[in-house]
């Protein structure tokens, strides 16, 4: 008797540094997907996650917990987490057995695949040129090492105003335009002036690869979540049917009080655009 062909699985591997909003992202994205009618299974692969805010289909803490490992082996949090990940790798049969009944679901893997790696970066780094260059290097290194379809997000866009207006328009940061403007900003700082050559080499490396770009995310905004989901679906090849499209349009129309149409980041850009040097703004818009 012929064996049934394996079902193609789709989903997202949500990664990023501590505090970037991965768990909150999984909560918001899972609620959004369920409202569209998509079957969702959130898989927590973080043994340090406690008090999960979302409905968890698979929880790695049932296999191994960070606290127990740290107590039993007298390890710190970093060493304990590495041990937990190695323990999970050695017991992948456990994970496969947990995932097997969830065939046909769309997966959200919370943390450290058809999968898309969703890498979250706190948007407040845009307000500091040195930190933004560091974020670009981190994002590029992650893309090269993870080797999955990849979407970079600037998270917490609803909080960005707390850090002041951006030096350039939002497209400058999301599209990673001419980074020489950042070098000019750094040159005005006595500390970074001594490291201009190093920063120039880092910027050249980022621009030579020309891989990094970002999508702004406000997890409280359905339109923002929809833009992220559209990018993820494009990255991993997920195609949804007519009924899901109708659910999406109905949900967005109800949320916005009008017919929903796909839009660019222009509205967000206008909100966070700095009222600074117009010549710089015009130059970056030309790029």
């Amino acid at each position: 008797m012929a064996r049934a062909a394996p079902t193609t699985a789709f989903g997202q591997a949500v990664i990023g540094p501590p505090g970037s909003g991965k768990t909150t992202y999984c909560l918001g994205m899972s609620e959004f997907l369920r409202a569209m009618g998509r079957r969702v299974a959130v898989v927590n692969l973080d043994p340090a996650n406690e008090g999960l805010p979302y409905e968890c289909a698979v929880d790695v803490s049932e296999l191994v917990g960070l606290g127990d490992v740290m107590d039993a082996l007298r390890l710190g949090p970093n060493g304990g987490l590495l041990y937990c990940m190695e323990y999970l790798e050695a017991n992948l049969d456990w994970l496969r057995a947990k995932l097997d009944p969830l065939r046909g679901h769309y997966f959200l893997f919370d943390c450290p695949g058809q999968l898309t790696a969703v890498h979250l970066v706190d948007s407040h780094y845009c307000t500091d040129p040195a930190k933004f260059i560091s974020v670009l290097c981190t994002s590029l290194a992650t893309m090269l090492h993870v080797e999955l379809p990849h979407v970079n997000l600037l998270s917490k866009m609803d909080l960005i105003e707390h850090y002041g207006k951006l030096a350039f328009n939002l497209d400058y940061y999301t599209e990673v335009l001419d980074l020489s403007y950042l070098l000019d900003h750094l040159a005005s700082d006595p500390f970074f002036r001594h490291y201009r050559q190093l920063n120039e080499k880092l910027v050249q490396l980022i621009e030579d690869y020309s891989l990094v770009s970002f999508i702004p995310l406000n997890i409280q905004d359905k339109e923002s979540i929809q833009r992220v989901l559209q990018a993820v679906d494009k990255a991993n090849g997920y195609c949804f049917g007519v009924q899901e499209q109708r659910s999406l349009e109905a949900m967005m129309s109800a949320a916005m009080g009008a017919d929903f149409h796909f839009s660019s980041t222009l509205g967000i850009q206008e909100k966070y655009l700095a009222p600074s040097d117009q010549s710089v703004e015009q130059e970056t818009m030309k790029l």
Side-chain angles (χ1 to χ4, degrees), residues 209-251:
Y209 273 97
S210 191
L211 290 175
V212 183
S213 62
F214 297 94
I215 298 174
L217 170 67
N218 174 3
I219 199 62
Q220 308 299 329
D221 179 13
K222 287 185 172 62
E223 184 179 357
S224 179
I225 300 174
Q226 190 280 327
R227 278 194 298 268
V228 172
L229 180 59
Q230 186 183 25
V232 172
D233 284 348
K234 181 179 179 180
N236 64 19
Y238 185 96
C239 296
F240 52 84
V242 174
Q243 184 56 47
E244 183 171 313
Q245 177 66 22
R246 288 173 179 169
S247 299
L248 172 62
E249 291 174 350
M251 180 170 55

Side-chain angles (χ1 to χ4, degrees), residues 84-100:
C84 289
M85 292 297 98
E86 291 172 352
Y87 190 82
L88 174 61
E89 183 181 12
N91 292 274
L92 282 180
D93 288 343
W94 174 88
L95 183 58
R96 292 191 186 99
K98 289 286 188 179
L99 295 177
D100 193 58

Side-chain angles (χ1 to χ4, degrees), residues 28 187 197-198 245 287:
Q197 287 187 322
L198 172 61
Q245 177 66 22
L287 299 173

Side-chain angles (χ1 to χ4, degrees), residues 81-242:
L81 185 59
L82 286 174
Y83 179 90
C84 289
M85 292 297 98
E86 291 172 352
Y87 190 82
L88 174 61
E89 183 181 12
N91 292 274
L92 282 180
D93 288 343
W94 174 88
L95 183 58
R96 292 191 186 99
K98 289 286 188 179
L99 295 177
D100 193 58
L102 300 171
R103 292 178 183 272
H105 284 69
Y106 185 95
F107 291 97
L108 292 174
F109 289 93
D110 188 359
C111 112
Q114 241 98 35
L115 284 177
T116 297
V118 181
H119 184 241
L120 279 74
V121 174
D122 198 317
S123 60
H124 88 266
Y125 289 126
C126 294
T127 61
D128 186 317
K131 290 180 179 178
F132 187 63
I133 290 177
S134 176
V135 159
L136 292 172
C137 292
T138 301
S139 300
L140 177 59
T142 303
M143 295 176 76
L144 295 176
H145 284 88
V146 173
E147 296 182 340
L148 284 174
H150 199 101
V151 175
N152 292 307
L153 304 182
L154 288 176
S155 64
K156 306 179 184 178
M157 287 300 298
D158 52 319
L159 302 178
I160 195 170
E161 286 187 321
H162 291 271
Y163 305 101
K165 293 290 184 179
L166 301 179
F168 308 112
N169 58 59
L170 185 63
D171 280 354
Y172 178 85
Y173 300 94
T174 58
E175 301 301 324
V176 189
L177 299 177
D178 190 346
L179 297 179
S180 63
Y181 290 107
L182 289 183
L183 294 176
D184 293 338
H185 271 254
L186 288 174
S188 63
D189 187 309
F191 176 80
F192 290 107
R193 190 179 303 140
H194 297 291
Y195 299 96
R196 183 176 180 90
Q197 287 187 322
L198 172 61
N199 289 320
E200 286 176 346
K201 293 297 182 182
L202 291 174
V203 163
Q204 182 180 347
L205 177 67
I206 295 165
E207 292 183 333
D208 285 348
Y209 273 97
S210 191
L211 290 175
V212 183
S213 62
F214 297 94
I215 298 174
L217 170 67
N218 174 3
I219 199 62
Q220 308 299 329
D221 179 13
K222 287 185 172 62
E223 184 179 357
S224 179
I225 300 174
Q226 190 280 327
R227 278 194 298 268
V228 172
L229 180 59
Q230 186 183 25
V232 172
D233 284 348
K234 181 179 179 180
N236 64 19
Y238 185 96
C239 296
F240 52 84
V242 174

Side-chain angles (χ1 to χ4, degrees), residues 34 40-44 52 54-60 62 94 98-99 101-102 105-108:
R34 289 192 180 101
V40 184
V42 185
V43 180
N44 175 43
L52 294 171
Y54 50 71
E55 180 183 346
C56 193
V58 181
D59 190 350
V60 72
E62 296 176 8
W94 174 88
K98 289 286 188 179
L99 295 177
L102 300 171
H105 284 69
Y106 185 95
F107 291 97
L108 292 174

